[in-house]
Amino acid sequence: MTTFGTEAHPLRVAIIGSGPSGFYAAENLYKQLDVAVEIDMFERLPTPYGLVRGGVAPDHPKIKSVTRVYDRIVRQANMRFFGNVEYGTDLTHDDLVRHYHIIIYAVGAQSDRKLGIPGEDLPGSHSATEFVAWYNAHPDYSHLTFDLSQESVAVIGVGNVAMDVARVLLRDPSVLHQTDIADYALEALATSRVKRVYVLGRRGVAQAAFTNAEITELGELCQADIIVSPEDVVLDPLSKAYLESGADKTAAQNVQTLTAYSLRQGTGKERQLFMRFLVSPVELIGTDRVEAIRLVKNQLYETYDGALRARATGQYETIPVGLVFRSVGYRGVPLPGVPFHEKWGIIPNDEGRILTVQDGGQQVVGEYVVGWIKRGPSGVIGTNKPDAAKTVASILDDLANDRTLNPPEPERSAVEALLERRRLKYVTFGDWQKLDQLERDLGAQVGRPRVKLSQVEDMLDALEELSPAMPVGD
Ligand code: NAP
């Protein structure tokens, strides 16, 4: 019989990670449970919001405004935030099991997929995820440098991240100045010599992964002409039939947009964006650094399940480029003490219930996943809402059947005591709000919406200065 869920003995829930999926899990939980619940959210950075802060492009402020919803969730759910606490080192799996009935992992996909081609690790070849995190002032990436003295750049992949990277590379610096892009990135991009960006899709125009708003935006850049070859927008019979089926409105719009671009005459802008399709990189060429990219022309074929895949034709070309961004998808990383599916790069689960990898996939009682680490790196921010709702439905179902952990120390204060015993400088939500205000104030001084702090030490020092009695607790 459940003996918790009362005001005196609330259901204690830990959420690991503070990106959209973690917040939507919290929202769903407190809205749906008719038992008393206490949620603690742990985040390894001092700042919340995951990819909304560290991934969404700086020139997309509307998308970022979703954080107001998350702030409301913190208030309404009466949730505690423990920033600067890393799962696996500061806080272990055993710790969570000692203190919580339910654990939800919302850690996203923190690494990137590899191409597996020669030259991939040459200097000048970077993952798009690194570049994105760098220009967004993520503390793990703020020390990186990118050689923007190169005139030609290749971006591999045609998803929305590739669109972001191409756009940021080609944007007018005065437009970037109006955003919260990292100050060092703003400076580097202002003196960039990048003139040509080649965005490379391995399949055809009808199979591009970007959404229409993103490709439309690329056609509106004031400093760059977008160039699409008329040959690339001629559809093969399989793609034509796919579009005519009406099953994919985004693909149809994308083809329309790209066709319109193929008819444009260049306007002589100082930069060019080449959108290329049906080409795969086979090698990055260079001795000390990337000097060129070798591509093979592809054609499409239909697999047994009706999918259209790319196959090499044996026709090659080489494009001189000095910088390459591999934008072929994010990948999850394993967490200590938690099952992991190596091939898929996710935590194996059934509707959010974590399953063991061996012995036929048994449920790990009391442990759940949401977001990219649950389903892989797909969808937009809003996709995480129904995704979290499904996991919470599994939690509610398990609760009704008494399937939770049974923590020996469920008291709310025990967690703070543990963190303080370990002398961890954790950051509360109140602390984050002070940092948030500080960043806005720094921005106001230079006519920008925000200047982000990009070092954990700077954030902790700032908090010390703002409230000398800090940094432990509120
Ligand atoms: P994505 O949408 O999955 O796109 C990955 C791209 O890489 C695809 O074009 C894919 O081609 C290509 N690719 C994969 N392996 C490749 C290989 N070996 N060689 C060449 N190309 C390869 O991933 P993403 O761009 O990283 O975005 C992740 C998610 O975040 C997406 O759901 C995206 O919509 C979302 N996002 C949204 C926004 C926004 O709303 N503005 C911004 C950024 C990201 P195939 O299709 O042939 O596999």
Side-chain angles (χ1 to χ4, degrees):
M1 218 11 233
T2 305
T3 52
F4 48 81
T6 61
E7 290 301 327
H9 301 287
L11 177 78
R12 302 266 302 130
V13 179
I15 298 179
I16 313 302
S18 67
S21 65
F23 278 103
Y24 292 129
E27 181 183 39
N28 244 280
L29 263 175
Y30 90 84
K31 277 194 175 160
Q32 295 205 33
L33 276 184
D34 50 10
V35 297
V37 58
E38 280 178 4
I39 302 172
D40 288 344
M41 178 179 267
F42 296 92
E43 163 62 55
R44 76 191 180 88
L45 294 177
T47 55
Y49 313 136
L51 278 184
V52 178
R53 181 175 163 100
V56 172
D59 56 344
H60 281 172
K62 255 197 194 151
I63 300 183
K64 286 171 188 268
S65 65
V66 72
T67 58
R68 281 191 225 125
V69 175
Y70 304 156
D71 295 352
R72 208 163 50 231
I73 295 170
V74 174
R75 282 197 304 277
Q76 290 174 342
N78 193 21
M79 188 169 110
R80 293 191 301 182
F81 173 76
F82 293 97
N84 200 33
V85 178
E86 181 161 11
Y87 172 82
T89 51
D90 299 331
L91 195 70
T92 66
H93 184 260
D94 284 353
D95 295 331
L96 293 178
V97 170
R98 281 196 79 74
H99 296 290
Y100 296 95
H101 299 100
I102 302 283
I103 306 167
I104 304 174
Y105 299 96
V107 295
Q110 292 168 36
S111 183
D112 56 284
R113 291 177 52 208
K114 298 279 177 279
L115 286 170
I117 59 170
E120 184 166 8
D121 297 322
L122 276 173
S125 161
H126 307 274
S127 74
T129 56
E130 287 170 347
F131 185 59
V132 167
W134 172 78
Y135 66 58
N136 277 322
H138 191 298
D140 292 353
Y141 299 86
S142 52
H143 65 284
L144 297 181
T145 53
F146 299 90
D147 183 4
L148 298 173
S149 71
Q150 299 296 327
E151 293 197 350
S152 296
V153 181
V155 180
I156 302 167
V158 283
N160 280 334
V161 170
M163 298 295 98
D164 286 345
V165 168
R167 202 177 62 251
V168 168
L169 283 169
L170 294 168
R171 265 260 191 251
D172 184 336
S174 68
V175 175
L176 292 176
H177 187 268
Q178 305 304 317
T179 74
D180 68 359
I181 191 167
D183 49 2
Y184 54 78
L186 182 62
E187 210 174 297
L189 286 159
T191 54
S192 156
R193 294 178 58 200
V194 171
K195 283 205 165 56
R196 288 172 291 277
V197 174
Y198 299 87
V199 176
L200 308 169
R202 65 176 167 183
R203 295 190 290 161
V205 283
Q207 290 80 37
F210 45 69
T211 39
N212 195 252
E214 276 60 34
I215 187 66
T216 302
E217 203 178 0
L218 275 187
E220 293 162 355
L221 292 174
C222 59
Q223 279 195 329
D225 279 326
I226 189 161
I227 295 159
V228 177
S229 150
E231 267 169 52
D232 274 352
V233 292
V234 176
L235 294 180
D236 61 285
L238 293 170
S239 299
K240 206 167 173 203
Y242 173 66
L243 286 194
E244 280 169 3
S245 75
D248 191 336
K249 284 208 174 67
T250 302
Q253 284 176 328
N254 285 347
V255 171
Q256 216 174 21
T257 305
L258 290 161
T259 305
Y261 291 161
S262 75
L263 300 172
R264 279 191 190 178
Q265 306 293 328
T267 60
K269 289 180 182 169
E270 59 189 284
R271 293 170 163 180
Q272 280 127 27
L273 168 60
F274 296 89
M275 297 294 304
R276 298 281 312 271
F277 294 90
L278 289 168
V279 282
S280 278
V282 288
E283 186 181 0
L284 301 189
I285 302 166
T287 37
D288 298 331
R289 56 164 298 110
V290 173
E291 289 162 25
I293 185 167
R294 188 155 189 255
L295 304 175
V296 66
K297 180 90 188 143
N298 292 331
Q299 63 189 23
L300 293 177
Y301 71 98
E302 191 170 11
T303 60
Y304 69 93
D305 58 356
L308 295 183
R309 294 257 165 79
R311 179 160 54 202
T313 60
Q315 198 185 325
Y316 295 90
E317 70 175 302
T318 299
I319 306 178
V321 290
L323 203 53
V324 172
F325 293 107
R326 309 176 310 264
S327 184
V328 296
Y330 286 75
R331 189 183 149 79
V333 294
L335 295 173
V338 185
F340 189 70
H341 195 298
E342 262 312 320
K343 193 167 168 217
W344 298 344
I346 61 164
I347 295 175
N349 69 93
D350 175 19
E351 298 281 316
R353 294 178 175 98
I354 296 185
L355 302 177
T356 57
V357 179
Q358 281 100 20
D359 56 41
Q362 304 292 311
Q363 185 186 350
V364 180
V365 172
E367 302 193 33
Y368 301 85
V369 269
V370 287
W372 279 5
I373 197 63
K374 168 187 177 187
R375 65 176 196 275
S378 67
V380 292
I381 289 170
T383 314
N384 292 299
K385 217 172 170 175
D387 172 286
K390 280 191 190 146
T391 295
V392 170
S394 297
I395 294 175
L396 297 183
D397 192 44
D398 289 348
L399 264 180
N401 292 296
D402 278 341
R403 288 171 75 82
T404 67
L405 291 163
N406 188 13
E409 288 183 72
E411 303 76 26
R412 191 174 155 96
S413 57
V415 176
E416 275 159 326
L418 172 80
L419 299 179
E420 276 161 33
R421 257 195 328 272
R422 289 189 184 158
R423 301 189 174 281
L424 293 169
K425 292 182 176 181
Y426 64 84
V427 171
T428 65
F429 204 72
D431 295 338
W432 152 245
Q433 286 172 316
K434 287 176 197 156
L435 285 178
D436 181 37
Q437 192 54 51
L438 173 67
E439 289 187 342
R440 288 173 197 271
D441 292 346
L442 291 172
Q445 288 167 21
V446 290
R448 300 185 54 204
R450 167 190 303 273
V451 171
K452 283 179 170 177
L453 299 181
S454 62
Q455 308 276 340
V456 170
E457 278 315 311
D458 290 351
M459 295 178 194
L460 299 182
D461 288 351
L463 283 175
E464 284 264 21
E465 252 175 61
L466 288 166
S467 357
M470 305 290 298
V472 178
D474 247 333

